[in-house]
Amino acid sequence: MTQTTNRRPPQRFVRLGLGLAAAGAIVAASLGPTVFAQTLPVQSAPVTTIVQPASTTFGQTTALQSLTLAETEGPYFKANSPETTTLYQDGMQGTLLTISGQVLDQNGQPVANALLDFWQANASGAYDNSGYTLRGHQYTDANGYYTVTTVVPGLYPGRTRHIHVKVQAPASSVLTTQLFFPGEASNARDNIYDPSLLLNISNNTDGTQTANFNFVVPTA
């Protein structure tokens, strides 16, 4: 901050000669009292400093969705299953069940061309380990949707009712998990069961069932 110092200007004296020739006589006539010209500091307008707040961007932050819980693969997975959306075969025993839903990333965006590989026991609780009955894989459509038609599996010894599935977004890691059925007494006794993996099942008037489940998978 610059400090302003007020300085008085030099006194101004005006002398007037009277023009008299008297020897050595000089009459000094003053024009009046001495005038002191005082310079007053210029009062500047008060300066108001306005501090602008930092620019704030208000953006909507979307909470990341939790990944679908991973579960054990179990002993009966077989690679190279056929590509199909229908595991059910004519004459197969059991209640017809159609499961549909989406594969999503953690931002809730659909994952196109994601791989889903399903395998399960039949209505009697037995797995086909010599062939590919009730086994098959498929890929989601452009909006991340899938549909699989199968039968409600039977109870495998020591386990509650469940369907195995592997889900993989393109160029990403594989999520291995299991889907469970609501209202099963054996759910509480199964140490693999988790309620977050329950199918949302509806009973249809024709005796079939439909269910829905959305998978949330890693995409990197």
Side-chain angles (χ1 to χ4, degrees):
M1 179 175 180
T2 303
Q3 182 177 3
T4 301
T5 304
N6 297 327
R7 296 180 179 178
R8 292 182 178 179
Q11 295 180 2
R12 299 178 62 187
F13 296 95
V14 178
R15 294 181 181 274
L16 177 64
L18 298 180
L20 298 177
I26 300 175
V27 178
S30 174
L31 295 180
T34 303
V35 177
F36 295 89
Q38 183 177 10
T39 302
L40 297 177
V42 177
Q43 296 293 327
S44 58
V47 177
T48 303
T49 302
I50 301 175
V51 179
Q52 297 290 344
S55 176
T56 303
T57 302
F58 295 95
Q60 184 176 2
T61 301
T62 302
L64 293 179
Q65 298 189 33
S66 298
L67 293 173
T68 299
L69 182 68
E71 291 284 17
T72 179
E73 180 182 282
Y76 298 131
F77 172 72
K78 289 182 66 176
N80 303 315
S81 67
E83 183 174 349
T84 181
T85 61
T86 303
L87 307 186
Y88 172 80
Q89 298 174 6
D90 290 342
M92 185 175 286
Q93 299 297 310
T95 301
L96 193 66
L97 170 66
T98 299
I99 306 171
S100 60
Q102 278 182 295
V103 176
L104 307 169
D105 65 17
Q106 286 190 275
N107 294 312
Q109 297 302 306
V111 180
N113 205 37
L115 170 66
L116 298 101
D117 196 343
F118 295 93
W119 74 102
Q120 65 171 82
N122 63 17
S124 300
Y127 287 85
D128 177 12
N129 295 317
S130 58
Y132 287 94
T133 301
L134 292 173
R135 299 175 183 269
H137 72 270
Q138 62 177 280
Y139 297 90
T140 57
D141 66 13
N143 295 310
Y145 285 102
Y146 75 92
T147 299
V148 60
T149 301
T150 184
V151 295
V152 175
L155 290 171
Y156 177 79
R159 290 296 317 279
T160 193
R161 208 178 305 273
H162 64 281
I163 294 175
H164 296 270
V165 59
K166 289 180 180 288
V167 190
Q168 183 180 22
S172 184
S173 57
V174 178
L175 169 71
T176 301
T177 192
Q178 300 180 26
L179 301 177
F180 299 101
F181 291 75
E184 296 288 331
S186 51
N187 284 346
R189 300 190 298 269
D190 192 301
N191 59 8
I192 298 175
Y193 165 79
D194 190 279
S196 69
L197 299 172
L198 278 173
L199 290 166
N200 182 14
I201 294 181
S202 298
N203 295 307
N204 304 317
T205 56
D206 61 358
T208 64
Q209 293 184 339
T210 54
N212 180 267
F213 193 88
N214 293 335
F215 297 94
V216 180
V217 299
T219 53

